[in-house]
Amino acid sequence: DGGITQSPKYLFRKEGQNVTLSCEQNLNHDAMYWYRQDPGQGLRLIYYSQIVNDFQKGDIAEGYSVSREKKESFPLTVTSAQKNPTAFYLCASSISSGVVYEQYFGPGTRLTVT
Amino acid sequence: AQKITQTQPGMFVQEKEAVTLDCTYDTSDQSYGLFWYKQPSSGEMIFLIYQGSYDEQNATEGRYSLNFQKARKSANLVISASQLGDSAMYFCAMRDDTGGFKTIFGAGTRLFVKA
């Protein structure tokens, strides 16, 4: 079955620690995205990548970093510089980055930092 | 500037009835795509329907249809014959050329289907 996997589903960290969220897709999609969702709100774009070894900042990139070394993988690191990291994180992919292509989403990772 | 507005924080509908979820958008680009996603309580986002800015016909996918009024910049989602499983958050989204192919999302509408 093709799809996007994110692990783990729930993640707990102490303040001051970096943490990496995994995102893997086997849909052969070129474009991948990371979103943050806070309770009762819509999605905000953190980073996106249109092709391997290339990525761009989204609207709220501060305190986050990404890499895209393989087409199928787009891990997100939440650094200690992110002031309010507790949130629901969603990874997505699309065939390409054109306007017509819908995004497919993973199940999400709920990060709690205390 | 790109913007998506969903003015209904919550909506109630009786099972088997139709419901319309509102969405208005703002873009200066001529080429753009409009999307609706469903987010159940499990959290994952499910793609429902797509409408391109140059499509003359309203999009339909099973019980979902998109009422696209380009001049008014509105892209309302119509769900016919509501089912209990339709209870979820619904997000309107847009992607255009000027936005660097980023997708922006509205704040969402929570739909409650009553038995």
Side-chain angles (χ1 to χ4, degrees), chain A residues 23-95:
Chain A
C23 177
E24 304 277 331
Q25 55 101 355
N26 61 4
L27 300 167
N28 201 30
H29 286 175
D30 283 326
M32 297 188 73
Y33 314 80
W34 273 106
Y35 293 93
R36 171 184 172 135
Q37 185 178 30
D38 292 288
Q41 298 190 27
L43 277 64
R44 292 184 291 168
L45 183 65
I46 305 173
Y47 269 97
Y48 66 107
S49 168
Q50 298 182 47
I51 199 167
V52 175
N53 291 324
D54 185 54
F55 48 83
Q56 289 81 39
K57 292 182 179 180
D59 300 316
I60 55 165
E62 186 175 347
Y64 300 98
S65 67
V66 293
S67 63
R68 186 87 188 274
E69 297 175 2
K70 298 186 297 183
K71 187 174 185 177
E72 58 270 23
S73 179
F74 192 41
L76 173 74
T77 297
V78 184
T79 75
S80 56
Q82 168 50 234
K83 296 191 187 316
N84 186 17
T86 294
F88 186 53
Y89 291 88
L90 284 158
C91 179
S93 71
S94 60
I95 292 173

Side-chain angles (χ1 to χ4, degrees), chain A residues 9 33 35 37 40-43 45 48 50 57-59 88 90 94 96-108 110, chain B residues 29 31-35 37 39 41-47 50 89 91 95-97 99-108:
Chain A
K9 192 169 179 64
Y33 314 80
Y35 293 93
Q37 185 178 30
Q41 298 190 27
L43 277 64
L45 183 65
Y48 66 107
Q50 298 182 47
K57 292 182 179 180
D59 300 316
F88 186 53
L90 284 158
S94 60
S96 181
S97 53
V99 297
V100 305
Y101 300 110
E102 72 270 21
Q103 295 176 318
Y104 294 82
F105 285 82
R110 200 166 295 278
Chain B
D29 206 352
S31 175
Y32 52 89
L34 296 158
F35 306 83
Y37 292 87
Q39 187 178 41
S41 57
S42 59
E44 66 181 287
M45 299 280 283
I46 302 167
F47 165 71
Y50 160 81
M89 282 288 287
F91 291 96
R95 180 187 294 179
D96 65 20
D97 286 339
F101 302 110
K102 296 185 292 186
T103 302
I104 61 165
F105 288 80

Side-chain angles (χ1 to χ4, degrees), chain B residues 11-85:
Chain B
M11 289 280 288
F12 286 87
V13 64
Q14 196 68 38
E15 194 179 8
K16 299 180 186 176
E17 292 184 350
V19 62
T20 298
L21 305 184
D22 294 342
C23 173
T24 58
Y25 60 92
D26 193 18
T27 176
S28 56
D29 206 352
Q30 297 302 309
S31 175
Y32 52 89
L34 296 158
F35 306 83
W36 277 92
Y37 292 87
K38 172 183 178 181
Q39 187 178 41
S41 57
S42 59
E44 66 181 287
M45 299 280 283
I46 302 167
F47 165 71
L48 296 177
I49 195 166
Y50 160 81
Q51 178 84 43
S53 58
Y54 293 116
D55 296 339
E56 295 186 354
Q57 301 270 11
N58 285 342
T60 59
E61 288 287 347
R63 294 188 297 111
Y64 304 108
S65 60
L66 201 152
N67 185 359
F68 181 45
Q69 298 188 43
K70 193 170 182 176
R72 297 180 60 186
K73 293 190 174 178
S74 77
N76 298 340
L77 178 70
V78 180
I79 304 175
S80 63
S82 296
Q83 301 171 357
L84 295 177

